Amino acid sequence: MDEWELIAKCQKGEPEAFEQLVKPYLAMAYRTAYLIIHDKHLAQDAVQEGLIEAYQHIDRLDPKRGVAFRNWLYRIITFRALNLVRKQKPAVEYEEMIPEEALTPLDNVIQREEQRQIWQAIRSMKAEHRAVIILYYYEGFSVSEIAKITGSFEGTVKSRMHKARKLIAQQLDKDCKRSDFLREGAMTHD
């Protein structure tokens, strides 16, 4: 059964069809909300509120308008997450340590430090900048899709991405000396 057939069933009031429709997107929706909010419980709240809103307003989706369900759902989830960020106090620390195979233990330490610096930069951004970076780099949406999801113009999305990239670069430049020190110190002890 294709997506629009499931949407039609949802619009007729069949909750099982809604469950089938959203199931493939739940993990990514939660990840997106979590990366925007930095809080597991608030991310769950954002997804839950978004799903309730999507279920209540599924009748707004029209195949003639050509809006993909995935984009429509992510727009709702992203707005819920951004609203929760605006309401909360300063963001909770988020560290994602992805185990990576490295050539040497030193390379692994340096790579983790660089990841930490990137996340530190992302964490310190305004929610609007953080959202476009997460949607683009981690969820794979295009600029035009992000514009639709966030309710912004494409130029605004590009501007926010540019600003976010600049902030990340500044953070990496600022912390570059620390990484260089680690590399040079380790090489002199070989």
Side-chain angles (χ1 to χ4, degrees):
M1 185 175 314
D2 83 346
E3 191 173 89
W4 283 106
E5 290 173 330
L6 285 173
I7 291 169
K9 285 187 173 198
C10 292
Q11 291 172 338
K12 291 177 185 173
E14 296 182 28
E16 298 83 19
F18 185 75
E19 185 178 336
Q20 278 184 300
L21 189 61
V22 300
K23 196 172 187 174
Y25 307 114
L26 288 178
M28 289 190 310
Y30 172 75
R31 181 174 75 172
T32 299
Y34 181 72
L35 291 172
I36 292 170
I37 299 173
H38 305 297
D39 181 284
K40 292 177 184 179
H41 299 293
L42 289 176
Q44 290 171 345
D45 290 348
V47 172
Q48 186 173 8
E49 289 174 17
L51 290 174
I52 291 168
E53 184 177 338
Y55 183 75
Q56 291 173 340
H57 300 290
I58 193 80
D59 58 319
R60 294 182 181 172
L61 277 175
D62 182 3
K64 295 174 187 167
R65 295 174 74 195
V67 176
F69 177 77
R70 174 180 177 246
N71 294 3
W72 183 72
L73 179 64
Y74 271 84
R75 178 184 174 125
I76 294 170
I77 301 290
T78 300
F79 273 112
R80 293 296 132 243
L82 289 170
N83 285 340
L84 288 173
V85 165
R86 290 179 190 116
K87 291 178 186 176
Q88 81 177 28
K89 293 180 181 178
V92 176
E93 280 284 318
Y94 173 74
E95 293 288 332
E96 180 178 357
M97 299 306 254
I98 303 170
E100 300 263 345
E101 290 187 28
L103 297 175
T104 68
L106 177 62
D107 290 337
N108 194 20
V109 168
I110 291 170
Q111 186 175 31
R112 286 178 183 246
E113 177 63 16
E114 288 170 351
Q115 288 175 351
R116 186 195 63 75
Q117 292 168 0
I118 290 170
W119 277 110
Q120 184 178 358
I122 291 172
R123 241 190 348 264
S124 67
M125 293 177 191
K126 290 182 180 179
E128 292 80 12
H129 295 107
R130 194 166 53 231
V132 296
I133 288 293
I134 290 165
L135 290 170
Y136 187 79
Y137 288 105
Y138 294 92
E139 299 303 336
F141 285 103
S142 69
V143 170
S144 62
E145 289 172 323
I146 295 169
K148 290 174 186 170
I149 289 169
T150 60
S152 306
F153 294 108
E154 285 185 33
T156 303
V157 171
K158 289 177 184 178
S159 172
R160 288 177 179 167
M161 284 180 59
H162 177 74
K163 174 73 173 173
R165 288 181 191 128
K166 248 178 127 171
L167 292 170
I168 291 170
Q170 288 171 352
Q171 181 72 33
L172 291 176
D173 285 344
K174 182 175 127 185
D175 293 337
C176 183
K177 291 179 183 175
R178 188 178 326 158
S179 293
D180 289 343
F181 176 76
L182 284 173
R183 281 188 185 103
E184 291 172 14
M187 287 178 197
T188 60
H189 289 88
D190 284 344

